[in-house]
Amino acid sequence: MLNPKMLMAHVLTFISLIVQAQSSSDNSILCYIGADNGPHKINTYITQEKPYVITCKYEDGTAAVPKFLQFTCSEGSSLVTIQVNITDGVHTQVITRDVQVNESDGLLEMPVLAFMNDAMAQSGKARIKSITFNNSMNIPLLLSEVNFSNISANYEIKMNQVFTVDLNSNFGKNYFMYATTSKTVSINLYKTNGELEQKILKTLVKGNNFIRFPENQMTEDKYVIVISEYDIKKAPNSRITVMN
């Protein structure tokens, strides 16, 4: 028979194990735009049987609902259903969106603030309470990072527009170009000193065309890019003036 001291030791050990188990499964993050606007590392697989639930926490009274919830997934293609639970202490609202995830996708996003109802918006006290990621297919997905932003990750580019792509950016932009008809364009990659390094041909379809620059085996960390109409008789400029 255990004496009182040994019994108390066993009880304390048991309580310690429970606390450790609870802390190891703690999925709470700061669900607002922080000073550094950095992404939250998740690195957890989500399956049909095992959705991932984020519990939101706040500091210093900060509670503004961001315009966009952004995230990255990898190691598979699937349909992910996202539920954002919002409360102002009186009202509650669940915003649900289905997001198609493909292996080639970079940063994905879901609008949040635009779908908040009037009662919640007018209260001035709304905040995200929790976020649930549900994998709709029997394909494990690695949920890598989650981020909150008031700026959309989708960035439209125009023909002959000069813009910079930084492959080292943690949460880069999703560049897309709208085409009225199917056509071939020339993606001209210039080094930061303005020197042409390579030209990549790409066929656009009617509608929005997302351009995944890292897929093009770019060797530099940063490029200045100009997309032009493809003309077999005309080569792109060998050098451009880059504004610092």
Side-chain angles (χ1 to χ4, degrees), residues 76-187:
S77 299
S78 185
L79 182 67
V80 176
T81 300
I82 305 173
Q83 296 174 313
V84 179
N85 189 341
I86 302 176
T87 183
D88 61 3
V90 178
H91 310 92
T92 60
Q93 180 185 1
V94 178
I95 301 174
T96 303
R97 288 290 181 275
D98 292 331
V99 178
Q100 181 64 50
V101 176
N102 299 308
E103 288 189 73
S104 60
D105 286 336
L107 181 61
L108 298 165
E109 73 177 20
M110 166 185 170
V112 179
L113 186 62
F115 292 98
M116 197 165 65
N117 61 44
D118 291 339
M120 199 81 71
Q122 291 173 6
S123 73
K125 299 179 180 180
R127 62 175 62 191
I128 299 175
K129 184 178 180 181
S130 64
I131 305 167
T132 302
F133 290 83
N134 295 281
N135 188 348
S136 302
M137 302 175 67
N138 191 26
I139 301 172
L141 284 178
L142 180 62
L143 178 62
S144 302
E145 295 178 332
V146 170
N147 190 51
F148 303 94
S149 177
N150 283 336
I151 302 174
S152 175
N154 296 331
Y155 181 79
E156 184 176 8
I157 50 180
K158 304 291 186 179
M159 199 70 69
N160 298 314
Q161 176 184 344
V162 180
F163 60 99
T164 302
V165 172
D166 186 354
L167 300 183
N168 286 329
S169 176
N170 288 331
F171 263 61
K173 298 175 181 178
N174 294 325
Y175 298 91
F176 72 95
M177 175 172 283
Y178 179 80
T180 55
T181 60
S182 177
K183 60 181 177 181
T184 300
V185 296
S186 175
I187 303 176

Side-chain angles (χ1 to χ4, degrees), residues 162 190 193-196 224-226 237-242:
V162 180
Y190 294 87
N193 64 1
E195 177 186 346
L196 178 67
V224 178
I225 297 177
V226 180
N237 295 330
S238 60
R239 178 173 288 276
I240 60 173
T241 301
V242 177

